[in-house]
């Protein structure tokens, strides 16, 4: 059924008639219940608590069930947004979850970490009426959580097995989304993961307080239940080669190996002890659980911790530092708060937790003590100049204005580059000067016909949902290519 | 997978494991390393592969007990499984014919040197291996080294075996004797630093295999970064071997000490049992 047929169903009509559009838009947007800042900033419990049934129903009523739902255009995986929201309004939460799963492999994850305010919610009709958008993300999380907590987890419809073997390189959001889509189409999918844990950035990157690992594990178990096989500790290109896979009968390969390589700024003192990448810091704390007493992996716990950068990873790092006991946890960002790429919600949460924001500041040097541990950073004061290519006003140094700040730990979160491990090991791939794998924009097919790619290995550093969108696109295209 | 086929003590705190890892055994080359993790709460630690038997599907690892994680590994026995084992990682050693090569190794650096010695010899080089340790009991793999080397020079700090002196004394002796075209060094960072300083004076190209702190070992974290020729490099993906004369060993030594306090605290909680049965 297409959208207008779905929308014409009796139950949808009845719901629309039950409440006038004016009444719907008069309902204020729900506020996400969350843990109190002074409590949550000392533990790793999830900050957002999720909506109650009453809250979700009320919020679902706000959706006008538009004839032309522009929200759907904003979703990289094309979730049938009005349909699942109306199913919530009707009280049919399990069906709502099923609707989500028809197009998204990881709804409980997306409901937590997608930047909805820049995607679906940014296109909501309410915004045109100067009202707040329907909280699509909260509702997505509600439906996915409801289903999981009910114990009645439904599996998507699976086509009969066609026996064709497909390999996936990397078990992050791109790979998982691709694997789910291919399994639904009847393929025999095996996912190869380099680390000991399945989940990629969802496990090593995003902290527990924003996305609990147990949530990720359940989504992975759902994929297992539809036949996806996972092999950890295996690096395609190193442990096994593409030729090995071909010999083993694999007919298609999807590379979603992510943007592993952290960038540094190449400034004086950056290799001092206590200066590290956000990837290292978050991997220690998230993947290795280094903050727990029984974990063998150590992590430095600074008292004065500076995080360099203004993205979501920077927010995750600074809030982690606070939770690990930092007295001063600071964001150092070279532009102003307005240009920060982090989600507004993350910035808000960080501020509530007592994070300091030192904007229009850029580190230019670090100093250390005799044992090499960082003790101070020199910050250059910046002003905003002309807009650059990204449209953001570019920061320029204010001559002569610098300041030394005491720090004993610095987390550098200024972006990542594609992980070279896989592209370097596969012959024939076209790789851009940024190290990304070059693919056809629509099909995600690489210069080697049997290899498709998506996520950060193609984009260089984007979001979970864009990676998932790539996986979905690649699955459709690979399926067509294999059927030709 | 990852089953320990055999375990042998080289000394009180140095253990040789033969581990079932058929895919790694097939794919690895001299110079490659693996990441291992023991137990579900274990740490990921890098270990250079000392040898492999692709027919048997095994690799050889030589581990020195230095901290909690290596101690947990050394406590495993024949038949146990290593929780996680991934590789081969890093770039393989560049092997070619250059003439006379001195392979200078100390401590457990000897184990990863063995496949390099064998490969250099197979490429037609004249290979002189310098084995160095504090004392006689800590000299390992001498026989295997003799098998692949044209000559083996043993150096002990206390003179209990071979010549008395440091690894650098051994190299100096060789430099005085003949023209050396390449030096390869693996061992503690401070040892490699002094080997590098010596060979630099004599303009002998030198390769050092670095063993830094790593978390993932796949380029993701940057914990392993070192300065090489003024540029930051990642040992895990750009190395582990670099032009020793370009490596900033002082910085590397400083970074290796970054977690020392935390490691010592952890050791207090984890009793290390040294192996004391019989002789070695």
């Amino acid at each position: 059924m297409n959208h207008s047929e779905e929308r014409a169903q009796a139950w949808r009509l009845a719901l629309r008639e039950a409440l006038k559009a004016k009444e719907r838009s008069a309902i204020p947007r729900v506020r996400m219940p969350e843990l109190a800042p002074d409590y949550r900033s000392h533990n790793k419990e999830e900050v957002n608590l999720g909506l109650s049934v009453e809250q979700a129903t009320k919020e679902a009523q706000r959706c006008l069930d538009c004839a032309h739902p522009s929200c759907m255009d904003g979703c990289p995986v094309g979730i049938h947004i009005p349909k699942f929201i109306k199913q919530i309004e009707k009280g049919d939460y399990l069906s709502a979850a099923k609707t989500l799963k028809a197009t998204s492999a990881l709804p409980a994850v997306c409901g937590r970490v997608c930047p909805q305010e820049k995607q679906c919610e940014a296109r909501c009709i309410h915004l045109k009426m100067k009202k707040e958008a329907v909280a699509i993300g909260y509702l997505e999380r509600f439906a996915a959580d409801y289903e999981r907590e009910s114990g009645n987890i439904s599996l998507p419809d699976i086509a009969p097995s066609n026996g064709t073997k497909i390999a996936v390189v990397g078990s992050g959001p791109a790979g998982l989304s691709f694997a789910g889509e291919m399994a639904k189409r009847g393929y025999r999918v095996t996912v190869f993961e380099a680390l000991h844990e399945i989940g990629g950035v969802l496990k090593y990157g995003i902290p527990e307080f924003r996305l609990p690992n147990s949530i990720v594990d359940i989504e992975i178990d759902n994929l297992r239940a539809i036949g996806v096989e996972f092999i950890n500790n295996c690096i395609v290109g190193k442990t096994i080669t593409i030729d090995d896979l071909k010999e083993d009968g694999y007919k298609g390969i999807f590379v979603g190996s992510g943007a592993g390589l952290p960038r540094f700024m190449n400034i004086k003192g950056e290799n001092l002890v206590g200066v590290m990448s956000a990837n290292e810091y978050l991997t220690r704390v998230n993947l290795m659980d280094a903050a727990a007493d029984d974990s063998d992996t150590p992590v430095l716990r600074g008292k004065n911790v500076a995080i360099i950068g203004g993205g979501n990873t920077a927010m995750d790092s600074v809030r982690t530092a606070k939770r690990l006991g930092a007295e001063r946890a600071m964001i150092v960002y070279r532009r102003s708060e307005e240009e920060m790429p982090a989600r507004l919600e993350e910035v808000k949460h960080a501020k509530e937790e007592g994070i300091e924001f030192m904007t229009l500041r850029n580190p230019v040097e670090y100093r250390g003590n005799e044992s090499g541990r960082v003790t101070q950073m020199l910050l250059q004061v910046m002003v905003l100049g002309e807009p650059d290519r990204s449209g953001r006003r570019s920061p320029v140094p204010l001559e002569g204005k610098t300041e030394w700040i005491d720090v004993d730990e610095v987390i550098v979160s200024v972006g990542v580059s594609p992980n070279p491990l896989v592209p370097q090991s596969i012959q024939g791939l076209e790789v851009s000067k940024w190290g990304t794998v070059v693919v056809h924009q629509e099909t995600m097919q690489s210069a080697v016909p049997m290899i498709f790619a998506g996520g950060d290995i193609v984009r260089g550093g984007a979001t979970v949902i864009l990676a998932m969108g790539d996986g979905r696109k690649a699955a459709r295209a690979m399926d067509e290519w294999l059927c030709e | 997978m990852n089953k320990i086929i055999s375990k042998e003590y080289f000394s009180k705190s140095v253990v040789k494991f033969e581990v079932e890892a058929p895919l790694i055994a097939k794919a690895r080359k001299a110079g490659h390393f693996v990441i291992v993790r023991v137990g579900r709460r274990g740490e990921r630690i890098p270990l250079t592969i000392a040898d492999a038997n692709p027919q048997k599907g095994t690799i050889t690892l030589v581990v020195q007990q230095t901290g909690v994680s290596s101690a947990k590994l050394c406590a495993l026995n024949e038949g146990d499984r290593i929780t996680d084992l991934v590789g081969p990682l890093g770039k393989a050693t560049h092997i070619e014919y250059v003439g006379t090569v001195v392979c200078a190794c100390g401590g457990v650096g000897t184990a990863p040197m063995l496949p390099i010695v064998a490969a250099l010899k197979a490429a037609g080089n004249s290979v002189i291996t310098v084995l160095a340790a504090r004392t006689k009991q800590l000299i390992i793999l001498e026989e295997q080294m003799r098998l692949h080397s044209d000559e083996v020079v043993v150096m002990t700090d206390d003179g209990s075996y071979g010549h008395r002196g440091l690894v650098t004394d051994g190299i100096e002796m060789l430099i005085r004797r003949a023209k050396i075209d390449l030096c390869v060094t693996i061992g503690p960072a401070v040892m490699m630093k002094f080997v590098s300083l010596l060979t630099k004076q004599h303009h002998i190209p030198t390769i050092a295999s670095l063993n830094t702190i790593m978390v993932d070992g796949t380029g993701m974290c940057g914990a392993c970064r070192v300065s090489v020729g003024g540029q930051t490099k990642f040992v895990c993906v750009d190395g582990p071997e670099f032009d020793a004369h370009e490596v900033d060993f002082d910085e590397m030594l400083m970074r290796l000490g970054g977690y020392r306090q935390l490691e010592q605290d952890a050791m207090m909680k984890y009793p290390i049992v040294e192996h004391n049965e019989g002789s070695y």
Side-chain angles (χ1 to χ4, degrees):
Chain A
M1 257 189 293
N2 64 28
H3 172 69
S4 49
E5 286 163 1
E6 292 261 19
R7 194 175 173 270
Q9 285 183 293
W11 69 272
R12 292 272 284 266
L13 276 166
L15 272 187
R16 281 203 297 280
E17 279 166 13
L19 213 58
K20 289 196 192 93
K22 215 171 179 178
E23 292 170 300
R24 290 179 187 277
S25 47
I27 303 170
R29 177 176 156 120
V30 68
R31 295 282 162 255
M32 172 61 82
E34 48 193 44
L35 292 174
D38 54 346
Y39 169 77
R40 72 189 190 223
S41 58
H42 302 289
N43 59 50
K44 59 178 184 178
E45 287 175 42
E46 190 174 11
V47 170
N48 285 349
L49 298 170
L51 303 183
S52 65
V53 167
E54 294 72 32
Q55 285 173 314
T57 311
K58 194 101 191 165
E59 186 62 25
Q61 285 174 349
R62 294 184 68 226
C63 170
L64 303 186
D65 197 5
C66 301
H68 301 288
S70 43
C71 52
M72 283 178 65
D73 301 332
C75 177
V77 296
I79 287 175
H80 297 289
I81 293 168
K83 183 178 169 186
F84 95 83
I85 293 182
K86 290 301 121 180
Q87 284 166 324
I88 292 176
E89 185 179 343
K90 199 174 88 170
D92 192 357
Y93 315 122
L94 293 177
S95 300
K98 197 153 187 169
T99 302
L100 291 171
K101 285 205 268 194
T103 57
S104 166
L106 314 162
V109 171
C110 293
R112 286 170 165 80
V113 303
C114 269
Q116 288 96 4
E117 65 281 0
K118 289 179 187 161
Q119 295 173 352
C120 51
E121 292 180 19
R123 318 265 183 121
C124 179
I125 186 90
H126 282 264
L127 294 176
K128 294 203 181 100
M129 306 181 297
K130 302 272 176 256
K131 301 244 163 131
E132 284 187 280
V134 172
I136 302 169
Y138 296 172
L139 290 172
E140 179 184 25
R141 171 179 164 167
F142 168 79
D145 285 1
Y146 184 92
E147 186 199 43
R148 189 182 61 254
E149 285 156 17
S150 77
N152 288 311
I153 298 181
S154 72
L155 296 178
D157 299 327
I158 311 288
S161 171
N162 60 24
T164 307
K165 284 167 81 175
I166 303 295
V168 182
V169 183
S171 68
L176 293 178
S177 163
F178 174 87
E181 290 301 324
M182 290 304 268
K184 280 190 225 169
R185 289 175 164 85
Y187 289 93
R188 276 175 64 191
V189 185
T190 307
V191 181
F192 297 90
E193 167 58 48
L195 294 174
H196 57 274
E197 282 268 357
I198 306 296
V201 73
L202 305 175
K203 283 277 180 68
Y204 74 74
I206 305 175
E208 234 5 55
F209 58 79
R210 208 149 70 80
L211 176 66
N213 281 348
S214 58
I215 302 283
V216 182
D217 283 330
I218 287 170
E219 306 262 31
I220 290 163
D221 285 343
N222 291 341
L223 289 172
R224 282 202 178 95
I226 60 169
V228 177
E229 202 189 321
F230 292 93
I231 296 178
N232 65 349
N233 293 325
C234 185
I235 305 174
V236 174
K238 290 273 179 191
T239 316
I240 52 173
T241 63
I242 294 290
D243 285 338
D244 291 334
L245 289 174
K246 279 196 229 169
E247 259 173 56
D248 261 8
Y250 287 92
K251 300 291 181 218
I253 297 163
F254 176 77
V255 178
S257 51
L261 218 62
R263 270 190 223 134
F264 287 93
M265 293 169 69
N266 296 317
I267 58 177
K268 199 175 164 197
E270 209 174 23
N271 287 346
L272 285 167
V273 173
V275 183
M276 71 192 84
S277 73
N279 260 6
E280 176 181 347
Y281 187 60
L282 292 174
T283 300
R284 285 178 185 274
V285 178
N286 299 333
L287 181 76
M288 308 311 295
D289 203 12
D293 278 345
D294 65 342
S295 172
D296 291 346
T297 306
V299 62
L300 296 178
R301 294 171 185 257
K303 289 290 165 222
N304 296 302
V305 187
I307 282 76
I308 316 301
N312 285 321
T313 310
M315 296 304 147
D316 286 344
S317 302
V318 79
R319 295 173 68 200
T320 298
K322 185 80 191 175
R323 281 159 175 74
L324 263 57
E327 283 156 18
R328 249 188 122 179
M330 306 163 255
I331 284 283
V332 176
Y333 182 55
R334 61 197 182 120
R335 302 179 202 244
S336 74
E337 198 177 313
E338 209 173 302
E339 288 82 20
M340 271 194 185
R343 292 185 71 188
L344 286 176
E345 185 185 51
E346 306 311 323
V347 175
K348 170 186 158 283
H349 280 159
K351 284 189 170 168
E352 289 169 356
E353 289 164 12
I355 305 302
E356 285 177 56
F357 281 69
M358 307 179 78
T359 52
L360 292 166
R361 299 283 186 284
N362 201 32
V364 286
E365 186 184 336
Y366 301 105
R367 266 187 203 156
N369 59 19
E370 62 288 346
S371 61
R373 176 80 181 251
V374 65
T375 54
Q376 281 194 312
M377 62 178 174
L378 181 63
L379 298 184
Q380 166 70 54
V381 177
M382 313 293 280
V383 285
L384 289 181
E386 296 300 309
D388 64 10
R389 274 187 311 165
S390 74
R392 295 182 299 179
R393 293 178 62 191
S394 58
V396 285
L398 193 60
E399 244 6 274
K401 282 278 281 181
T402 58
E403 52 190 337
W404 282 101
I405 308 275
D406 288 345
V407 285
D408 55 0
E409 190 168 9
V410 175
I411 317 288
V412 183
S413 178
V414 295
V416 284
S417 304
N419 195 328
L421 213 58
V422 176
Q424 270 174 11
S425 329
I426 301 176
Q427 284 190 345
L429 277 188
E430 192 186 332
V431 179
S432 75
K433 65 175 173 180
W434 298 281
T436 52
V437 173
V438 179
V439 293
H440 184 282
Q441 271 200 343
E442 291 307 312
T443 64
M444 313 307 285
Q445 192 168 25
S446 77
V448 181
M450 79 178 297
I451 300 177
F452 292 61
D456 281 358
I457 193 66
V458 166
R459 296 172 177 273
T463 59
V464 167
I465 189 68
L466 287 172
M468 288 180 56
D470 288 352
R472 198 174 147 75
K473 257 196 327 200
R476 193 184 307 136
M478 188 188 282
D479 182 32
E480 280 171 16
W481 177 74
L482 287 166
C483 291
E484 263 170 26
Chain B
M1 287 236 286
N2 308 352
K3 196 164 125 182
I4 295 170
I5 303 297
S6 70
K7 179 183 183 180
E8 186 187 328
Y9 282 89
F10 277 155
S11 73
K12 269 198 282 197
S13 58
V14 179
V15 178
K16 177 183 135 175
F17 288 114
E18 196 183 358
V19 187
E20 189 179 78
L23 296 174
I24 301 173
K26 196 177 128 193
R28 75 97 217 189
K29 290 193 175 77
H32 279 144
F33 69 94
V34 290
I35 292 269
V36 303
R37 193 173 79 110
V38 179
R40 291 197 55 241
R41 308 299 283 161
E43 183 184 12
R44 295 171 65 93
I45 53 169
L47 288 171
T48 309
I49 302 169
D51 201 1
N53 185 336
Q55 285 78 39
K56 215 172 147 192
T58 60
I59 59 169
T60 302
L61 300 173
V62 176
V63 192
Q64 182 167 28
Q65 199 164 298
T66 54
V68 169
S69 297
S70 53
K72 283 189 175 175
L73 181 57
C74 289
L76 294 181
N77 289 310
E78 220 173 274
D80 288 342
R81 281 166 205 277
I82 297 176
T83 316
D84 294 292
L85 173 64
V86 62
L89 294 161
K91 289 186 173 152
T93 310
H94 179 71
I95 302 287
E96 61 177 347
Y97 172 77
V98 291
T100 301
V101 186
V102 168
C103 292
C105 44
V108 274
T110 309
M113 185 66 96
L114 183 61
I116 297 172
V117 166
L120 285 168
K121 180 70 194 159
N125 293 289
S126 165
V127 182
I128 309 171
T129 301
V130 182
L131 288 178
R134 262 196 342 265
T135 186
K136 186 181 176 183
Q137 277 79 34
L138 299 174
I139 294 287
I140 62 171
L141 295 169
E142 188 190 340
E143 250 176 72
Q144 288 95 320
M145 283 296 191
R146 288 200 186 279
L147 215 63
H148 297 288
S149 313
D150 292 271
E151 185 185 348
V152 172
V153 175
V154 176
M155 305 295 300
T156 51
D157 294 6
D158 61 2
S160 54
Y161 187 47
H163 304 266
R164 179 195 291 269
L166 301 170
V167 71
T168 38
D169 299 322
I171 300 171
E172 259 190 310
M173 190 177 81
L174 295 170
I175 290 171
R176 281 196 299 270
R177 215 175 64 187
K179 181 179 174 287
I180 295 162
D181 300 292
L182 176 72
C183 176
V184 183
T185 182
I186 312 181
V190 68
M191 181 205 102
M192 294 193 283
K193 174 188 167 176
F194 285 103
V195 169
S196 175
L197 285 172
L198 173 69
T199 58
K200 197 170 182 176
Q201 281 173 23
H202 295 275
H203 309 287
I204 301 167
T206 299
I207 305 285
S209 175
L210 310 184
N211 193 350
T212 50
I213 294 172
M214 294 185 188
V215 183
D216 63 288
T218 62
M220 238 172 60
C221 78
C224 64
R225 62 194 193 278
V226 289
S227 294
V228 182
Q231 280 194 318
T232 295
K233 297 278 179 192
F234 286 9
V235 172
C236 65
V237 286
D238 300 320
E241 291 171 13
F242 295 98
D243 177 347
H245 298 160
E246 297 291 330
V247 172
D248 183 340
F249 282 103
D250 290 330
E251 183 190 271
M252 182 183 161
L253 281 159
M254 177 190 87
R255 289 185 58 77
L256 279 169
Y259 288 85
R260 197 153 289 148
Q261 189 57 49
L262 291 171
E263 282 162 10
Q264 282 166 0
D265 294 348
M267 288 293 280
M268 297 294 282
K269 287 190 248 169
Y270 185 88
I272 297 272
V273 186
E274 283 197 339
H275 186 81
N276 270 318
E277 290 165 34
S279 58
Y280 304 97

